[in-house]
Amino acid sequence: MTPITLFENPDPAPAVPGGPLCGTRVALQPTISVAGWPTDAGSAALAGFTALEDATVVQRLRQAGAALTGLTRTSEFGFGLHGSQAGEAVRLGAADAELVLDMMGECRVAAARAGAYGLTPSAGLVSRLGLIGLIPSMERCGLLARSCGTLHALLAALAGPDGRDLTLEEAPPPAPAPLPADARGVTLGVIPQALDGLPAAQAEGFRAALARLATAGVAVRELSLPEYDLFALVHAIVGSVEASSCAGRYDSVRYGRRPPGAKNWNEMYLSARGAAFGTCVKSFLIQGAFFQFERYAAYENACRIRARLVAAAQRLVAEVDALALPLPDRVPEDITAAPLAEICAPFGCTRLASVTGQPALAMPAAGACGALQLVGPRLGDARLLALGETLAAVCREGK
Amino acid sequence: MDFEAVIGLEIHVELNCATKLFCDCPNRPGDEPNANTCPTCLWLPGAAPCLSQAALEKAALLCLGLGAELQPLSAFDQKVYYYPDLPKGYQLSQAHLPLSRGGGITITNERGEARALRIHHIHMEEDVAKLVHELEGRQPISLVDFNRAGAPLVEIVTEPDFRTPHEAMEFLKALRTQVRYVGASECSMENGTMRVDANISVRPRGSSQMNTKVEVKNMNSVRHVGDAIAFEIARQSAAVQAGEAVVLHTRLWDPDKKATLPMRAKFEGPCVPDPSVPAIALTPAWIETLRARLPEMPAAKAERLVKEHGVSAEDAAFLSADTDVAAYFEALTAHGVSAKMALHWIATQVLPAVRERGQELSASPVTPARLAGLLTLLARDEINANAAREVLVALFQSEASAETIVSARGFRQISDTGALDALIDQVLAAQPAALADVRNGVGKATGFLIGQVMQASQGKANPKLIKELLAKRL
């Protein structure tokens, strides 16, 4: 165990030599099931729990010949980055890539923090079997690496139908539109509302990055989305209600610690769940329970608004090659028992893709401050990565 | 005050699929505890439910069999409640978008009138685990058996159309028949493959108001459902009469005390759409393909039996209550046996014989073809009814045809008048007293003489012919 790893694989050599990921060292979060490994999702609710079988993504990593290095420290259920070391293994060179659960942008912000690249694949592209998060309709297996090329190889190995996750698309993604030869053919869309309320330095960094790209010939178009604020609201309501319902399974009947002394089942639930969850997750679950039990109509409204937002974002992205959104490259470090609002603060601009299911790529920006986030059309992941590679070249020149 | 009851039923039917609803584990709840489990039906973290196509088809067939309309779009929700039989905190059920809406069954009420009882909707859901309460020394413990967890269920929710216990019982019997017809379940209340909850309220007769209802559970036979409803109607009527308010709650039927008793409520919340099971979209083409697999349903079959075979409505209902019985009957008539004889022999001989031997009618060694061979001999008067019953026993014991058995064991009836006359002579000579009685008009004596002739023929004489010949002599 090190400050960043929770569990080191004593035998990381791949069982399948010569695969496309041969020589790629991949670190995982304990939110991703590996048979026989302590998959506690960073929560006391799963203390001592060992996964019975590999997540589909783990099986596919093994089949592609990747070396699994171990488990990194995570926030509880991978929610937010408080207490998480996501991205550190790649930053420090201990791994070539990491899989990071992404429910509101964790993989992307972790990549930005590590100065690396992070892809949140389209919803329905990579199997979720074996992932242990809190928000099923939003969580995806994020990929984090030092280059778009590595992300591309990872995605090729992991994506595709899984007979055991029926939420996946069965048909292969549609053929991508031809790629521009270089940055001069690329058009990015910027949502002005996304910059409202952003810390001044971050907004400044984002504008500088766009200016650098514009200098290289990238066309930048302003695309207004007056309902932009609703992404955070929909995420807060729908996400927390799903979490509240799904986390019902952490009741200590089958696993997890069961505090002694309960006189009946109801007391057992209360004491076990009270002891199991950290402050942040508890706040999120209580928020969800409030909407589920006290304001159900608001939850239903949020679901309807979500459908509208998905359509709106898809329309916007169809007008350009990708949407460009700001991305913070640091998160507050020294907060202990941070309130929910503080934990969620760095994810202001990442929740759009979490709500819509679109693919989103985090990449280092050309400027001195902040990183860049590109959001593509759903299932346009391969083209988004290629686009990222083209723009990365421009950004590197700018450094 | 005169009260009438308003009753609605919620009926859980366990589908007889080979596997569970969301995983490939065998759907055999009776096996060694926790033998049939996997991460999905243990509801472990990270597991992903995969809806069984077979369960969907069976559930949809059941809906069509009950005249329900399959919905183009249905979906699963998370029905939240905390109880150790559900250690994931929610049950996957279709609360907002059920598999089908509408449908119903027409029954005959106490006054002999047809009553169309409507179904509100039918939805799919997963069963929960089973709790076994034991003592470990003096410490009470509860064990959880997950074999049943995730077993495929449908819930049939009726409209509050029922007014009497009789209507509820008739509905349940007809429902059981129809579900068995489509082959979706055995629907045994005794074995728990059909579970019925009744919602009951009372109101002054003639009123159209809907009053606070009470839910009654834990009835394990159709009879108990009737008893529990009757008890609850009486209890609520008395309460209202005494000026007490009926409060919404759940009661359990206690078959020993023959009473309903209040139970503790469990925590329940609103249902949230489940994000892990994709919505179910049914195309008209898929529905029509399935509809083509639907067998002829009991009401249609009964109607056809009346029309084609001239049996009474009551007999048609008896035959069509079980597809196997109806099929057996029709096979017999196809072999030329008269409807009347076929009906009589099935009801009085074959079914009791099959039941006694613990066989299924459809798998009985006495196939319709073999029985038809026997009944043809009987119809032609080649054997008499007593002999026929003995041949039936022989048909169960060997593979020989009725013809062979009759010949080998000499069951053929003596219809040769010469031979019978000789026997009659013999009997009349030996029984002068009886002969005198007959001539003096003692009725019983004729029967006695016929019996004597039968005995003399070792049971092979044609009784009708003896009677005729005897009449000529006397």
Side-chain angles (χ1 to χ4, degrees):
Chain A
M1 289 223 307
T2 73
I4 59 166
T5 59
L6 187 76
F7 172 81
E8 279 180 42
N9 186 4
D11 181 22
V16 181
L21 290 180
C22 204
T24 308
R25 297 163 303 154
V26 183
L28 304 168
Q29 279 182 320
T31 51
I32 297 167
S33 303
V34 184
W37 289 17
T39 311
D40 68 4
S43 177
L46 280 165
F49 179 74
T50 302
L52 295 184
E53 56 179 0
D54 283 347
T56 300
V57 288
V58 171
Q59 277 177 26
R60 292 190 180 173
L61 283 176
R62 292 190 200 275
Q63 282 157 11
L68 307 181
T69 62
L71 299 172
T72 64
R73 290 183 188 279
T74 181
S75 51
E76 191 168 11
F77 295 107
F79 182 77
L81 287 174
H82 183 60
S84 166
Q85 297 290 337
E88 287 301 281
V90 165
R91 189 178 70 85
L92 298 172
D96 302 305
E98 294 179 36
L99 300 191
V100 179
L101 208 58
D102 192 305
M103 280 169 278
M104 58 177 167
E106 290 86 348
C107 175
R108 287 162 276 164
V109 175
R113 180 173 70 177
Y117 293 79
L119 176 73
T120 306
S122 292
L125 194 62
V126 176
S127 173
R128 289 194 308 109
L129 178 77
L131 305 191
I132 306 172
L134 282 178
I135 316 177
S137 83
M138 299 189 192
E139 76 200 19
R140 284 173 258 162
C141 180
L143 318 176
L144 191 153
R146 250 194 303 270
S147 75
C148 282
T150 307
L151 292 183
H152 195 93
L154 277 173
L155 186 66
L158 301 185
D162 172 7
R164 295 184 59 198
D165 178 359
L166 300 186
T167 60
L168 295 188
E169 297 287 333
E170 281 173 37
L179 269 171
D182 58 33
R184 271 168 299 187
V186 176
T187 308
L188 294 180
V190 173
I191 301 168
Q193 288 85 355
L195 302 183
D196 296 345
L198 211 58
Q202 209 189 321
E204 199 42 53
F206 180 64
R207 286 199 190 92
L210 288 181
R212 172 75 198 104
L213 290 171
T215 315
V218 172
V220 178
R221 275 181 62 189
E222 198 161 278
L223 298 172
S224 183
L225 185 54
E227 292 190 303
Y228 181 82
D229 279 350
L230 292 178
F231 283 101
L233 203 62
V234 163
H235 190 284
I237 297 176
V238 176
S240 65
V241 168
E242 279 186 29
S244 157
S245 190
C246 292
R249 69 181 70 223
Y250 306 114
D251 61 3
S252 79
V253 170
R254 270 199 59 85
Y255 45 78
R257 277 191 212 112
R258 192 186 297 177
K263 290 192 194 68
N264 57 47
W265 288 330
N266 287 328
E267 277 186 21
M268 178 188 86
Y269 292 138
L270 289 174
S271 59
R273 290 170 66 79
F277 301 121
T279 315
C280 168
V281 164
K282 240 182 229 171
S283 311
F284 196 55
L285 297 184
I286 289 170
Q287 176 179 307
F290 172 75
F291 283 106
Q292 187 179 0
F293 297 112
E294 305 291 332
R295 296 288 186 276
Y296 192 75
Y299 163 72
E300 287 184 306
N301 262 333
C303 290
R304 272 192 289 272
I305 293 171
R306 183 180 187 183
R308 208 167 75 210
L309 292 176
V310 168
Q314 195 74 356
R315 268 198 308 275
L316 280 195
V317 82
E319 293 186 30
V320 291
D321 289 307
L323 299 175
L325 287 162
L327 193 62
D329 59 0
R330 63 205 65 180
V331 292
E333 292 289 343
D334 54 348
I335 41 176
T336 49
L340 187 58
E342 242 172 275
I343 300 271
C344 294
F347 302 95
C349 296
T350 50
R351 285 190 272 202
L352 179 145
S354 297
V355 166
T356 65
Q358 289 169 292
L361 175 69
M363 54 186 285
C369 178
L372 193 60
Q373 187 191 180
L374 301 182
V375 175
R378 222 184 122 231
L379 302 177
D381 300 57
R383 189 172 190 274
L384 185 68
L385 281 175
L387 209 60
E389 207 145 14
T390 304
L391 300 185
V394 176
C395 291
R396 274 196 298 272
E397 285 161 24
K399 285 264 180 190
Chain B
M1 199 190 293
D2 188 18
F3 290 99
E4 79 171 354
V6 178
I7 306 156
L9 302 178
E10 293 171 6
I11 303 138
H12 282 95
V13 170
E14 190 119 30
L15 299 176
N16 57 6
C17 301
T19 60
K20 294 187 181 182
L21 188 54
F22 294 111
C23 62
D24 290 333
C25 287
N27 179 27
R28 289 197 306 267
D31 286 3
E32 182 73 12
N34 294 311
N36 303 324
T37 58
C38 73
T40 302
C41 60
L42 289 172
W43 300 314
L44 293 181
C50 289
L51 180 65
S52 150
Q53 181 74 17
L56 173 63
E57 282 183 18
K58 216 153 233 190
L61 204 57
L62 181 149
C63 293
L64 291 177
L66 294 172
E69 195 177 326
L70 288 172
Q71 300 297 291
L73 190 73
S74 63
F76 279 91
D77 298 287
Q78 301 179 346
K79 184 169 154 190
V80 172
Y81 77 83
Y82 287 108
Y83 206 68
D85 64 5
L86 183 67
K88 75 173 161 179
Y90 61 85
Q91 180 185 22
L92 286 174
S93 178
Q94 300 182 302
H96 299 298
L97 298 170
L99 183 61
S100 77
R101 295 182 195 271
I105 295 176
T106 300
I107 57 121
T108 308
N109 73 3
E110 297 94 319
R111 294 188 296 279
E113 303 153 348
R115 286 268 287 136
L117 301 168
R118 294 167 302 160
I119 291 170
H120 181 268
H121 74 265
I122 302 174
H123 65 255
M124 285 186 279
E125 64 185 27
E126 59 180 343
D127 208 343
V128 297
K130 189 174 139 194
L131 294 179
V132 181
H133 306 288
E134 289 187 353
L135 276 177
E136 203 170 60
R138 297 173 69 184
Q139 171 78 20
I141 55 163
S142 298
L143 303 169
V144 192
D145 177 6
F146 284 78
N147 280 351
R148 203 181 66 183
L153 292 177
V154 294
E155 184 174 349
I156 300 152
V157 180
T158 75
E159 296 281 2
D161 283 352
F162 306 73
R163 295 292 170 267
T164 64
H166 173 87
E167 290 180 356
M169 293 194 295
E170 285 304 302
F171 180 89
L172 290 174
K173 285 186 225 161
L175 176 83
R176 186 170 59 191
T177 301
Q178 294 188 214
V179 174
R180 285 176 183 168
Y181 255 60
V182 299
S185 173
E186 286 65 44
C187 282
S188 158
M189 288 191 74
E190 290 74 13
N191 299 334
T193 53
M194 180 160 103
R195 307 196 276 271
V196 180
D197 302 337
N199 290 302
I200 304 151
S201 64
V202 295
R203 64 186 178 194
R205 193 173 301 282
S207 148
S208 59
Q209 74 200 53
M210 296 297 252
N211 290 332
T212 306
K213 66 182 185 183
V214 169
E215 185 179 14
V216 182
K217 294 172 174 290
N218 198 41
M219 293 80 84
N220 54 14
S221 73
V222 172
R223 179 83 249 160
H224 284 176
V225 174
D227 291 347
I229 293 174
F231 176 88
E232 193 55 24
I233 295 172
R235 190 190 68 82
Q236 288 185 31
S237 302
V240 174
Q241 204 100 38
E244 293 164 22
V246 174
V247 288
L248 182 75
H249 70 298
T250 302
R251 301 175 75 86
L252 291 180
W253 172 246
D254 184 327
D256 298 327
K257 294 187 178 138
K258 293 203 177 300
T260 63
L261 304 167
M263 68 176 269
R264 242 178 46 189
K266 67 186 169 193
F267 174 83
E268 268 185 28
C271 296
V272 182
D274 179 82
S276 299
V277 184
I280 301 162
L282 301 183
T283 62
W286 188 87
I287 294 173
E288 286 322 305
T289 310
L290 200 68
R291 201 188 297 281
R293 277 171 46 191
L294 207 60
E296 179 184 40
M297 296 304 288
K301 193 182 285 280
E303 202 175 306
R304 189 174 56 75
L305 291 178
V306 169
K307 213 184 295 171
E308 289 181 9
H309 300 280
V311 296
S312 70
E314 202 185 350
D315 288 337
F318 157 74
L319 290 171
S320 57
D322 185 330
T323 32
D324 287 349
V325 173
Y328 200 94
F329 169 80
E330 294 213 87
L332 276 180
T333 57
H335 280 100
V337 177
S338 77
K340 193 177 162 205
M341 187 181 259
L343 188 61
H344 175 76
W345 272 75
I346 289 173
T348 63
Q349 303 296 326
V350 179
L351 286 179
V354 163
R355 219 168 290 140
E356 193 180 299
R357 290 167 174 78
Q359 296 171 345
E360 292 290 327
L361 180 61
S362 55
S364 163
V366 182
T367 60
R370 297 181 72 217
L371 182 64
L374 169 63
L375 297 184
T376 307
L377 295 175
L378 179 64
R380 282 200 221 125
D381 273 341
E382 290 187 29
I383 54 172
N384 60 39
N386 281 335
R389 280 192 285 273
E390 284 193 48
V391 177
L392 178 65
V393 173
L395 285 176
F396 273 101
Q397 288 161 348
S398 82
E399 287 174 10
S401 71
E403 185 74 49
T404 312
I405 295 165
V406 166
S407 301
R409 307 212 356 215
F411 279 130
R412 211 166 293 270
Q413 183 155 253
I414 303 172
S415 298
D416 168 358
T417 44
L420 284 181
D421 270 333
L423 284 173
I424 290 170
D425 285 343
Q426 214 179 304
V427 168
L428 293 184
Q431 304 286 348
L435 186 59
D437 279 352
V438 173
R439 292 202 166 126
N440 293 330
V442 180
K444 276 193 294 187
T446 314
F448 172 75
L449 287 175
I450 296 174
Q452 288 299 308
V453 179
M454 280 301 282
Q455 211 168 30
S457 73
Q458 290 162 323
K460 293 176 201 167
N462 179 340
K464 261 189 279 176
L465 212 51
I466 303 174
K467 208 172 167 185
E468 279 173 35
L469 294 173
L470 206 54
K472 275 184 204 162
R473 296 287 196 84
L474 302 174

